Amino acid sequence: QVQLVESGGGLVQAGGSLRLSCVASGMYYALNTLGWYRQAPGKQRELVAAITHGGTSKSADSVKDRFTISRDNAKNTVYLQMNSLKPEDTAMYYCNADELYELTRPGPYWGQGTQVTVSS
């Protein structure tokens, strides 16, 4: 089993920054891809960014110039640095993990989510 625990969400003004963290425990050593998805009210969950164990990453076009995903394999942690936040970034952000090398769809493991709210 894998457990994912997110932190770092909150309320921020437009143009501000937040850094999300997600720590994996349990069978974390089996994980290849770690990623962040988000879901806004009334919308489908969407990929924000994902990164493989070797460092290959993929980001949504809407965040590509503003958000940066990174991971520390020694700490079993994935980060999402979010800069120049916009009100449309408001959503629940979920950490996701997969044993496979997979950057186009979510894996089977999810965190509980952390809320990000951007005020205008």
Side-chain angles (χ1 to χ4, degrees):
Q1 281 286 14
V2 172
Q3 294 81 43
L4 304 172
V5 178
E6 305 101 330
S7 61
L11 173 64
V12 65
Q13 288 189 331
S17 298
L18 284 173
R19 187 193 196 204
L20 306 184
S21 300
C22 171
V23 180
S25 61
M27 294 178 63
Y28 59 86
Y29 48 84
L31 300 175
N32 191 323
T33 307
L34 297 173
W36 292 95
Y37 287 74
R38 68 185 180 186
Q39 187 168 20
K43 295 188 177 182
Q44 288 188 332
R45 193 171 295 189
E46 62 177 0
L47 170 70
V48 178
I51 186 168
T52 67
H53 189 274
T56 302
S57 65
K58 177 184 175 68
S59 299
D61 289 342
S62 59
V63 307
K64 195 161 290 185
D65 296 327
R66 302 182 294 122
F67 294 6
T68 302
I69 190 169
S70 62
R71 66 189 284 173
D72 185 332
N73 292 327
K75 295 182 178 180
N76 315 315
T77 302
V78 61
Y79 305 97
L80 185 68
Q81 178 66 45
M82 305 186 294
N83 299 327
S84 303
L85 282 160
K86 304 175 180 180
E88 51 263 44
D89 295 318
T90 295
M92 185 71 79
Y93 283 69
Y94 296 92
C95 184
N96 179 264
D98 199 335
E99 295 98 333
L100 304 177
Y101 181 109
E102 180 55 71
L103 294 171
T104 60
R105 59 170 175 78
Y109 306 108
W110 292 96
Q112 292 182 324
T114 185
Q115 178 67 38
V116 172
T117 303
V118 184
S119 63
S120 58

